[in-house]
Amino acid sequence: MRNTTWTENRRPSRTFVAVLGWFAIFGCGIFGLSILIADFVVPEHNWISDTISDLGAGRYAAIVDIGLYAFSAALISVALLAAHIHPGGTRWSTGTVGFAVLALIVFLVGARNEYGDRDTDGVVIHIYLVYALGLLMAFLPWLMAENAERVSRMTGRILRFLSALWAVSAPVFFFLPTSIDGIYERYLGLIACSVVVLMARLFLRHGRQTSSEAGRDSPREISRHSTEAAG
């Protein structure tokens, strides 16, 4: 049985959806690539024991910062798409705002440069940003899952799974020995990127569905709609 789309009275811009959808996926790719490059460039870095925050401090901070900004832009793309293709409901509205806030948090993490070097000057907010990021990543996939299932049942189920997986996994990070917290943080980053890529693919799929439905309108239906509009 064909999955239904969200909107009946208006169709989203296919170009807008395609550009932002692929940009979100690209942003996640840049984020992962920046971490991989930093792993090789930063001297005496151990990717198992040293965290991404350690990479983001010091001489080569710009490499990770670029990745964080790209991921922040990917989150903004998801928020814009969620607002553009809005099926209704409080959960979806909350999730849309949540992705925008999450983008701001990720941007601030990169811009503040407080991680990994034991800053004490001024107000240090890094740990609070991390807590806020953790909470949002636990709830956002769950908030979007119900309406996501209207386009793809499997996508909705995976979003719920990722929400639960993050909720269980993220708190563990604060109790891990420093000898393995680096690789564990990368595992959490993979979950976060999976959520963004999954949402981007959901929007791309919805854009294709609505475009396909538009192409199946018969000349008689188009003429009827035109007559009704003129009347």
Side-chain angles (χ1 to χ4, degrees), residues 51-58 60-62 64-65 68 113-117:
T51 64
I52 297 172
S53 296
D54 295 326
L55 286 175
Y60 299 96
V64 175
D65 286 346
L68 287 171
N113 285 322
E114 293 176 350
Y115 35 67
D117 49 5

Side-chain angles (χ1 to χ4, degrees), residues 188-211:
L188 293 176
L190 181 61
I191 297 176
C193 285
S194 297
V195 171
V196 175
V197 171
L198 197 63
M199 290 297 299
R201 291 190 62 199
L202 177 75
F203 293 125
L204 290 170
R205 178 171 179 172
H206 175 68
R208 289 193 298 268
Q209 285 183 357
T210 53
S211 177

Side-chain angles (χ1 to χ4, degrees), residues 108-173:
L108 287 175
V109 168
R112 294 281 297 188
N113 285 322
E114 293 176 350
Y115 35 67
D117 49 5
R118 297 180 177 85
D119 291 304
T120 57
D121 297 332
V123 180
V124 180
I125 63 173
H126 177 73
I127 189 62
Y128 304 109
L129 295 176
V130 171
Y131 289 153
L133 185 152
L135 288 173
L136 284 172
M137 281 305 307
F139 284 106
L140 289 179
W142 174 77
L143 288 170
M144 311 304 262
E146 182 178 1
N147 275 316
E149 286 185 336
R150 296 169 62 182
V151 175
S152 170
R153 182 174 298 178
M154 181 59 68
T155 297
R157 290 176 176 176
I158 296 175
L159 284 172
R160 286 194 175 92
F161 170 76
L162 291 176
S163 178
L165 184 62
W166 178 276
V168 172
S169 301
V172 176
F173 174 79

